[in-house]
Amino acid sequence: MQRTVILGSTSRYRREMLSRLHLPFDVQPPEVDETPHPGETPAALAARLALAKARAVAERFPEAIVIGSDQVADLDGEPLGKPGDHERATVQLRRMSGRTLVFQTALAVVCQRTGFVQQDLAPVRVTFRTLSDAAIERYLRAEQPYDCAGSAKSEGLGIALLDAIDNDDPTALVGLPLIRTCRMLRAAGVELL
């Protein structure tokens, strides 16, 4: 008997990514406080939150295999979260213009009943081209990426803001590194394909 797979996330982007695997899964909100701890690095924050999300849902569904993920944009060690509105997105994109950031995408897979716990980090180096205020405004009006860490969606028009993306998992920048997800799900006993 295959265990139920649950995505512990409210992100529609992660839901869309996981659906690519043609695997039946449920979605549950993790209800985790995402406030950074004082002095916490972006990588540590992303890793802590991914594991906390998976564990929070696994406590409610101990028989299930639960996936938790989180992404934090890292600008010189400073975490940049989701902007939430147009003004903050404009400020973020101005700060990222002509710079290289690391999007720290963390993943955790937990099954409380079996004691299975694995987690990993999929850092993605992203170089933004130099952006004019007019380009930033046009982009934000067109895509409204206010629910995305770093204010840009590489899977859409946001790709035009970038000079380079460097990573080992092309889905990590969208928020769920599927190569690592597949590896962890197989290790937890989920049959893929």
Side-chain angles (χ1 to χ4, degrees), residues 15-29:
R15 184 181 309 130
E16 290 167 7
M17 294 300 296
L18 190 57
S19 69
R20 290 183 184 186
L21 299 181
H22 295 249
L23 177 73
F25 67 94
D26 294 327
V27 178
Q28 291 292 326

Side-chain angles (χ1 to χ4, degrees), residues 19 27-28 36 67 70 72 112 119 147 149 174 190:
S19 69
V27 178
Q28 291 292 326
I67 301 165
D70 197 78
V72 178
Q112 188 167 308
Q119 67 181 124
D147 62 345
V174 181
V190 176

Side-chain angles (χ1 to χ4, degrees), residues 39-155:
E40 190 171 35
T41 67
L45 173 61
R48 177 178 61 81
L49 292 178
L51 185 58
K53 290 174 181 182
R55 285 188 166 150
V57 174
E59 284 180 17
R60 297 191 325 256
F61 301 92
E63 298 291 335
I65 295 171
V66 182
I67 301 165
S69 186
D70 197 78
Q71 183 178 72
V72 178
D74 180 344
L75 179 61
D76 299 328
E78 178 189 344
L80 300 180
K82 300 170 186 169
D85 63 33
H86 188 87
E87 183 179 331
R88 286 193 286 265
T90 300
V91 170
Q92 279 190 353
L93 289 173
R94 283 181 182 151
R95 289 188 64 205
M96 297 184 302
S97 176
R99 309 273 308 272
T100 298
L101 288 78
V102 178
F103 284 78
Q104 304 286 2
T105 306
L107 173 70
V109 175
V110 171
C111 180
Q112 188 167 308
R113 180 64 67 218
T114 65
F116 182 87
V117 178
Q118 278 191 8
Q119 67 181 124
D120 201 358
L121 192 65
V124 183
R125 291 180 54 83
V126 177
T127 302
F128 281 77
R129 65 183 183 79
T130 301
L131 306 171
S132 68
D133 283 348
I136 290 171
E137 184 66 18
R138 282 192 300 272
Y139 170 68
L140 292 176
R141 293 291 174 202
E143 202 149 70
Q144 301 179 12
Y146 309 131
D147 62 345
C148 297
S151 306
K153 294 195 301 190
S154 65
E155 67 275 22

Side-chain angles (χ1 to χ4, degrees), residues 174-188:
V174 181
L176 185 65
L178 287 181
I179 292 171
R180 285 169 175 80
T181 301
C182 288
R183 186 181 307 134
M184 288 185 192
L185 288 175
R186 284 191 298 269

